[in-house]
Amino acid sequence: MTNLDPRDLRTAFGSFMTGVTVVTALDADGTPFGFTANSFSSVSLDPPLLLVCPGRFLSSFLVFEACSHFAISVLAEGQEDVSNTFARFKGDRFAQVETQTDQNSVPFVAGAAARFSCKTAQVVPAGDHIVLMGQVQEFECSGKPGLGYANGQYFSLGLERAASATDKTGLRSVAGAIIERDGQVLLQDTPHGLAPPQLDVQGRAGVRDSLGAHLNGLGLNIMLDRAYSVFDDQSAGVHYTYFLARAEDDTTPASARYVPITDLPNQTFCSPAHASMLTRFALEHQTQSFGLYVGDEHGGDIHR
């Protein structure tokens, strides 16, 4: 058998764009367990079947291997925090997320784009995973756009299309990132005050890729998340697009420093619009409920 590099294979698999789901079940004592998965697929309409593939590395693997019923919550745009909770949080995940229960008393995520309540139909060993196939007994569809995932990053087509629709001719386009690390945000010094790392971009095509390349050029190892703030500063003649991001290490570029999120409202920023954006970020960080602001330096709407 040909030896394949697991990291390269993971990267290749990750190029396939998927939705994001949370899979939940109860153990024999009725305790809920859940994990984040993008290894989800519909299988059949008649009978109604779907599948998901729990990994043997999961601490809850034995629960899903033995469960008689399980539920799939297809996460909606704006539920990145739910995904991160069920992927990384080590404590009581269900205490961090609003849930409801289905006809089998299995919890599912409130506000999801869709949810499916299933009876286990078949469990098939598959390498370092199993194929958990379920027969759908009940389902709901909210009509909300689903949360996307590709190349290790979330994307929200509906929100980012709304952001693109705000582009105005004649304004210089600038893209930037609010980069978080351990409760702090990376800010750079400018002649007019602090600002997140940013750069001029040409038009609207490839904004995320251009920003990612710029940040990598600064030596930053970051994971870009979804669009967070899209606004026009007419007085400066600039159209801004900011993304959320997370630093993967402690690299700090020259003329930049990490500032505690709780101190953001006390900083001097390069413009009132930036001050408003970072103050909003500090408030939303407390609840991990982030919205997309679309507007200008005077006002706009927050999409959640």
Side-chain angles (χ1 to χ4, degrees):
M1 179 181 293
T2 304
N3 292 325
L4 302 177
D5 187 302
R7 290 174 298 180
D8 291 343
L9 183 59
R10 179 186 291 272
T11 299
F13 281 154
S15 65
F16 179 66
M17 292 182 287
T18 70
V20 185
T21 70
V22 167
V23 188
T24 48
L26 304 175
D27 69 4
D29 297 326
T31 302
F33 288 85
F35 68 97
T36 299
N38 63 349
S39 57
F40 162 81
S41 179
S42 59
V43 175
S44 169
L45 291 176
D46 186 16
L49 298 174
L50 55 74
L51 66 79
V52 68
C53 300
R56 296 182 183 276
F57 55 83
L58 292 171
S59 59
S60 57
F61 172 76
L62 295 178
V63 174
F64 290 94
E65 184 182 40
C67 68
S68 60
H69 296 84
F70 63 95
I72 304 283
S73 300
V74 179
L75 298 187
E77 288 186 342
Q79 290 190 312
E80 292 90 344
D81 55 330
V82 176
S83 173
N84 291 334
T85 295
F86 279 94
R88 304 171 186 167
F89 188 67
K90 301 303 182 183
D92 183 355
R93 295 172 174 179
F94 293 90
Q96 308 298 313
V97 173
E98 183 182 356
T99 60
Q100 300 170 347
T101 54
D102 66 10
Q103 61 184 10
N104 303 309
S105 299
V106 177
F108 61 88
V109 176
R115 64 96 176 172
F116 303 91
S117 298
C118 304
K119 178 180 179 180
T120 299
Q122 194 173 1
V123 177
V124 181
D128 56 5
H129 286 62
I130 58 171
V131 177
L132 176 59
M133 190 174 299
Q135 181 163 345
V136 179
Q137 296 182 309
E138 182 186 16
F139 72 94
E140 292 180 349
C141 184
S142 69
K144 297 178 180 178
L147 177 64
Y149 193 77
N151 296 316
Q153 298 177 2
Y154 298 112
F155 64 89
S156 301
L157 289 177
L159 295 180
E160 292 181 19
R161 283 170 179 164
S164 297
T166 68
D167 191 22
K168 291 186 171 64
T169 303
L171 297 180
R172 181 167 59 96
S173 292
V174 172
I178 301 175
I179 302 172
E180 180 187 354
R181 187 199 71 194
D182 298 330
Q184 303 177 89
V185 165
L186 183 66
L187 298 175
Q188 291 185 308
D189 291 309
T190 77
H192 304 291
L194 296 173
Q198 59 188 35
L199 81 158
D200 284 15
V201 293
Q202 298 298 318
R204 297 310 311 269
V207 170
R208 181 190 290 271
D209 290 341
S210 297
L211 177 60
H214 172 70
L215 296 174
N216 288 335
L218 295 177
L220 292 165
N221 179 19
I222 61 97
M223 178 179 291
L224 272 180
D225 207 323
R226 61 188 177 93
Y228 179 68
S229 191
V230 180
F231 62 93
D232 298 328
D233 189 336
Q234 298 286 351
S235 62
V238 180
H239 174 82
Y240 290 99
T241 303
Y242 277 96
F243 295 86
L244 297 180
R246 182 176 297 276
E248 300 294 297
D249 56 34
D250 58 0
T251 302
T252 305
S255 301
R257 64 182 184 275
Y258 277 95
V259 174
I261 293 173
T262 53
D263 287 349
L264 290 177
N266 302 319
Q267 304 302 312
T268 300
F269 292 101
C270 61
S271 76
H274 285 79
S276 177
M277 176 179 69
L278 272 301
T279 298
R280 176 170 70 90
F281 175 81
L283 290 172
E284 293 182 340
H285 187 269
Q286 297 176 22
T287 59
Q288 292 292 296
S289 177
F290 299 107
L292 169 65
Y293 175 85
V294 180
D296 57 28
E297 71 270 34
H298 302 298
D301 297 318
I302 296 177
H303 301 260
R304 298 189 185 278

